Amino acid sequence: MTHLQADTRREAGVLLEVEDLRTHFRTERGVVRAVDGVSFSVDRGDCLGIVGESGSGKTVLARSIMGLLPRTNTVTSGSVRFEGMEILGSSDKMMRSLWGREMSMVFQDPMTSLNPLMKIGKQIAEPLRLHLDMTRSDARDTAERLLNDVRIPGPSRCLDRFPYELSGGMRQRAMIAIALSCGPALLFADEPTTALDVTVQAQILDLIGEQRRDRSMSVILVTHDLGVVAGHTDHIAVMYGGKLVEKAPTRTLFARMKMPYTMSLLRSIPKLDDPSHTRLISIPGRPPDLVNPPVGCRFAPRCAYAQDRCRHEEPPLITAESSDHVYACWYPVGSPVFEARDAEVRAETSVVGHGNV
Amino acid sequence: MRYWFQRIAMAMALLLSVSALTFGAMNLLGDPLFNILGPVAGDTSNPESVKLIEQAKRQYNLDRALPVRYGMWLSDFVAGDMGVQFSTDGQPPVTDLIKERLPRSAMLLIIAQLMAILFSIPWALITAARSGKPLDRLSTISTFLLVALPNFALAVILKYVLGIKLGWFPLTFNAKDPFLSRLFQMVLPAITIALPAAAIYQRLLRTDLITTLQEDFILMARSKGVSRWRVLFRHSLRPSLFSFVTVVGLNTGAIIGGSIVVETVFRIPGLGSSLVEAVLREDFPVVLAIVMIVATTFVIINLLVDIGYSLIDPRVRQ
Amino acid sequence: MIEMSAAIGVQPARTRRLGAGFWISIAWLALIVALAILAPYLPIKSPTSNFTGKGNAGPSKPPSMEHWFGTDRDARDVFARTLFGARVSLTVGFAAIASGMIVGGSLGMVAGYFRGWWDRVISFVFLVLLSFPALVLAIMLTALLDRNLLTISLILGVLAISPVGRLARASTLQYAEREFVTAARTLGATNRRIIVRELLPNVVIPMGALALLGMAVAIVAEAGLAFLGLSVEKGITWGGMIQLGSESSRNLEQAPWIALFPIGVLFSTVLALNFAGDRVRSLLDVKEISL
C-alpha cells in the first residue's frame, strides 16, 4: 500500500469517519471499556474539539483512531475510515505509511515527548527523510523552514539544540513542527497546552489554527478545557465515560447546549468578570468505573438533574433542532423537567456553593 | 570541572592506600624475611644462608622501620624497579616478567570485554523487543544459569565441548606463533570470560530498554512512522546506556578475576597465571608487583568510568 | 490509569510469592547440608582410599553400581569425595558470609549512625577494599597466610566486608532519619541502645535477604581458589577435584566424570542458593548490590 500523495490543494469532503468505535482493555480487574461506541466524522480543513474530563476516554479515542495503542490486551471494534479507506485494525506496517505522513500527533508534555538525547533538527528531519526521501541537507533546510513557520526565533541555531535547552513553549512549537513536517491531512493535538503557561497557551492554539488554515489541514483537538475549544474549533464533541454525549458546531453548542454535563463543564470555567471570592463550581463526584459502568446514563450518578429514567435506561443519541447537533439525554437543557429542577438547583448553589475539588 | 578534580584526588588517595595496604600486608603478615627468602630465612646454621640473609636485610632495609621501608619501596616501584623474581633461575627483574606477560593479559581482557559488549547489546535489544515472549523467557533462564556457573567450571565445560568434542578451537596457547594464530587461540578463553559478563550486561540493558520504551518520546517517534527496529535502535538505545556503561566499567574487576582462572585453564602465560604460580612458589616480589599493577589499573578504570559517565549524558554537564 | 505503552505491550509484575522453585531449591540445599554433615557416618566408601582391583574399581573408571560417580585417576571414589568436598565448601561459604556480615555490618552501622568522621573513614576503607578485584585480593591474602579452613573463611569474609558494609550503612542512614529513632533519643536512650534495639532489627532484614546470595558467591569464590590450588591445603574440595579432573585435555576427554560430577553438584548448589536468595530478595524488595 503506497502512501497517499500530499495534496496542497485539498478538495472538500469527509476526511475521517468513525463509526461505533469501541476500545476495550483487558486488565486484571476486568475489561476496561475506555471507548464504548463513538461515532462522528471530520471534514477536510475542519477542526473538531473533543472535550471531556480525565478518564472520559478522549485520549484513548484519539490514539485508537490513529492506531497507536499497544496490541496486547487491547480489543478494538467498529470502523475508522480515513480518506475512504478502512484503517482500524490495520497492521503496523500499513499504518507506518500514514503515521507522520498523512496523520500525525502533537503530545501533551513536550519535555517527555521529545527524545532528550537527540537534537531538534534531527527529530524534525527524521520523518522528512523517512517519508519524503529527502537528502540530509534538504531535510535540514526544510526543518529550518518549519521552525520558522512555527515562529521559533533563531531557527538555524535551534536545529542543533537539545530539548532541555528550550523553554516549554518552544518545545511545543518544535513538536508542532515535527508533526507538520510532511504536510499531514489530519493533525491530532492531545492536550497540547495543558503543560504550558497560560500566556503561552493562547499562542500555541493560535499557531495551530494558523497552520491549519495555511495547509488546509484537519485538526482534532483533545482537551479537558472548554475554554480552549471555544475559540479554535468548528465542531465540538463532548465525551463522558467512554461515550459521546453531545456533538455540535461550536457556536451551536455554546448557544444551545442540551446535555446537563456540557452545561456543568461550561459553568465550571471561572469567568473574569465574576465578583471576587465567587466560589469555583465543580462537578461533584468522580468519573465512572469503566470496568463496570453504571446502567443507564453514565453521568446520572453525578447529574443534579437526574431522574429515575436516567438511572435505568441509557439515553440514545438523538438529533436536536439543527441536523448537525446530536446529544444523549432524557431531560436535556430547556425541557420542562429540566427547567423545574433547575430552579431548585440554582437555589442550592447560591446558598451553599460547591467547594473546589 | 570541580567534580573531576575531586574524583582524581580520591583516586590518588585510593592508590596510595592500596599500595600501603598491599605492602603492609606483605610485610606484617608473617616474617618478611621468610617472604623474601623462603625457607632459607630460618636456616641460620648454614653460612651460605646467613650470607643471603644478611644480604637481604641490607637490600631490603629490613632494619629500618616499616613506614620508611614502605616509602623506599614505593619510590622504587614507581620508578620502575619492582625487585627480582626470587624463584626463577638467575633472578631476573620482575619488570621483565611484567613486560612479557602484561600485553598478553591485556589483549585477552580487551578482546573479552569487547566480545561481551558486542554480544550483549543486540541480545538486550531483541529480548526487550520481545519482552515476555518465549524467546525472552528462555533468555532470562539462560542468563540466570550463566551467572550462577563459576567461571572455571564454564571454562572446563567449554574446553570440553568446543575444544575437545567438537574440535573447533585450539586448546593451547603458543607464544611463538604468529599474531593471528595467537589471536585465534585466545578466542575460546575470551568467550569463557565474555559469556557471564555479557549475561550481566544484557540483563541490565534489557531492563533499562524496557523502561525507556515506556517513555512518551517513544510513542511520539512511532507516531512519526518510524519502524519498530529503528525506534529500538536509534531512539531507545542511547538513553538506556547509562547504567550499562557504569556496569561495564565496574565489572572489569570480575573480568580480571575471570582472566586469572581462564589463563590457568587454557595455559596462557599471562599476568594472571603468573600470579597464581608466584603464590604457589612463594615468590613475593612478583605477587606484590602484580597485585599493585592490577589494583592500580582497576582504580584508574573506575575513575575513567566516573568521568566518562559525566561526558555521555549532556544533561549532567550543566 | 491505563499506561500508554508505545510499541511493546508490557507484562504485569511478578506475583509476590515464594513459589515452587524456592522450595525445591531449599530442599536441595537441605539435602546437601545434611549429606555433608553426615558424610563421615554414612555407609559410603572412604574418600581417601584407593580402590584398586578388577572390574569397576581401579583408576579412572566410569560410573558404576559400586562407584556411583566413578573413580578418579588415583582410584578414589568420586561420589564420596564429592560429599566430603561439600563439607569444606559449605563451611567456608557460611563462615565467610557470617564473618563478613558481622564485621561489615557493624562497620556499616557505625558509619551510618554516627556519620561525620566515622563515616568518612569507614567509607574510605570500604572503597580501598573495593579497589582490588575480589579474586586478586583473595589470592594475595592466601599467599601470606597458612591455608586452613579458618583462614580461608576469614579471607573470603574480608571480601564481603565492603558490599555488606555499604548496604548496612545505607539501611542505617535510611532508618536513622525515622521518627522512632528520634523518639528513642528523646526518651534518653544511649547510642548503643538505639543501635542495637531500634536500628539493628531493621538493618538485619535486608542483610538477611542477601545472605543466601552471599553464600553462593562465597562458595564460588572458594571453589575458584581451590581450583587454582590456593584453598584449604589438606582438605577435599570441589574446586580441587575439578582441577584434577580437567588438568590435561586427555584426562578430560577420556574421563570427564571426574570433573563433571563435582561441577554438577557445585552448580546445582550455587543455583539453588541463587534462586532461593533471589526469591527472598524480591519478596522483601531489597535492591541488588554488586558483590
Side-chain angles (χ1 to χ4, degrees), chain A residues 101-293:
Chain A
R101 180 84 181 76
E102 294 296 324
M103 52 166 80
S104 58
M105 194 179 262
V106 174
F107 291 81
Q108 176 175 334
D109 185 356
M111 187 64 234
T112 58
S113 307
L114 291 171
N115 191 325
L117 298 182
M118 230 191 231
K119 292 186 184 164
I120 299 283
K122 200 157 161 231
Q123 297 194 50
I124 302 178
E126 192 174 21
L128 290 171
R129 303 198 61 200
L130 215 53
H131 296 293
L132 303 179
D133 267 329
M134 282 193 187
T135 63
R136 198 171 297 192
S137 55
D138 280 346
R140 200 181 153 85
D141 292 336
T142 314
E144 192 177 333
R145 230 179 328 115
L146 281 164
L147 286 177
N148 210 4
D149 287 348
V150 297
R151 302 199 197 291
I152 286 186
S156 53
R157 267 174 297 130
C158 184
L159 286 176
D160 291 318
R161 292 234 163 87
F162 288 98
Y164 71 86
E165 296 178 73
L166 306 178
S167 71
M170 300 233 291
R171 285 197 285 263
Q172 194 61 296
R173 290 172 194 273
M175 182 130 77
I176 292 173
I178 296 176
L180 296 175
S181 54
C182 298
L186 175 60
L187 176 74
F188 287 86
D190 191 353
E191 307 259 21
T193 54
T194 310
L196 303 172
D197 291 336
V198 177
T199 45
V200 179
Q201 282 181 12
Q203 294 170 8
I204 295 294
L205 291 170
D206 286 341
L207 175 62
I208 294 179
E210 181 191 297
Q211 291 299 317
R212 170 169 78 96
R213 282 184 291 276
D214 288 350
R215 294 161 189 265
S216 309
M217 185 174 65
S218 305
V219 175
I220 293 185
L221 186 57
V222 177
T223 177
H224 64 277
D225 190 348
L226 257 186
V228 160
V229 292
H232 296 94
T233 55
D234 300 314
H235 290 82
I236 295 182
V238 181
M239 280 200 63
Y240 187 82
K243 288 196 172 293
L244 183 68
V245 294
E246 184 157 12
K247 178 169 177 276
T250 307
R251 281 212 197 91
T252 315
L253 189 81
F254 281 96
R256 292 193 294 276
M257 64 186 63
K258 293 284 182 192
M259 233 277 191
Y261 176 60
T262 317
M263 196 184 66
S264 315
L265 277 182
L266 189 59
R267 280 209 192 137
S268 62
I269 301 177
K271 288 190 261 300
L272 273 178
D273 48 2
D274 273 346
S276 59
H277 300 300
T278 308
R279 284 179 195 263
L280 288 173
I281 301 178
S282 59
I283 310 173
R286 307 169 92 226
D289 177 7
L290 294 171
V291 178
N292 293 309

Side-chain angles (χ1 to χ4, degrees), chain C residues 84-200:
Chain C
F84 274 80
R87 292 163 70 85
V88 174
S89 293
L90 292 174
T91 312
V92 169
F94 180 75
I97 206 69
S99 55
M101 282 195 165
I102 292 174
V103 176
S106 317
L107 285 177
M109 283 184 67
V110 166
Y113 184 74
F114 289 108
R115 313 249 219 130
W117 276 109
W118 284 111
D119 187 11
R120 272 185 258 191
V121 168
I122 293 180
S123 294
F124 187 75
V125 168
F126 287 158
L127 269 181
V128 172
L129 282 176
L130 284 176
S131 299
F132 293 89
L135 193 60
V136 171
L137 183 59
I139 291 178
M140 178 176 91
L141 293 174
T142 59
L144 300 169
L145 302 168
D146 288 337
R147 296 195 272 272
N148 56 49
L149 210 55
L150 179 67
T151 53
I152 297 289
S153 303
L154 290 178
I155 289 174
L156 292 180
V158 167
L159 291 185
I161 289 180
S162 288
V164 171
R166 298 220 291 195
L167 178 68
R169 174 180 173 276
S171 287
T172 309
L173 279 175
Q174 195 186 12
Y175 284 107
E177 306 283 311
R178 302 249 184 115
E179 275 158 12
F180 63 87
V181 172
T182 326
R185 205 178 282 127
T186 53
L187 287 175
T190 60
N191 282 332
R192 201 180 84 164
R193 196 180 163 86
I194 293 179
I195 291 181
V196 173
R197 307 233 10 220
E198 312 284 348
L199 291 170
L200 185 61

Side-chain angles (χ1 to χ4, degrees), chain B residues 12-26 70 73-74 77-78 288 292 295-296, chain C residues 128 132:
Chain B
M12 306 246 74
L14 281 177
L15 281 177
L16 218 55
S17 312
V18 160
S19 64
L21 182 63
T22 315
F23 187 80
M26 288 268 147
Y70 167 64
W73 165 78
L74 188 61
F77 190 89
V78 170
L288 186 51
M292 273 300 299
T296 306
Chain C
V128 172
F132 293 89

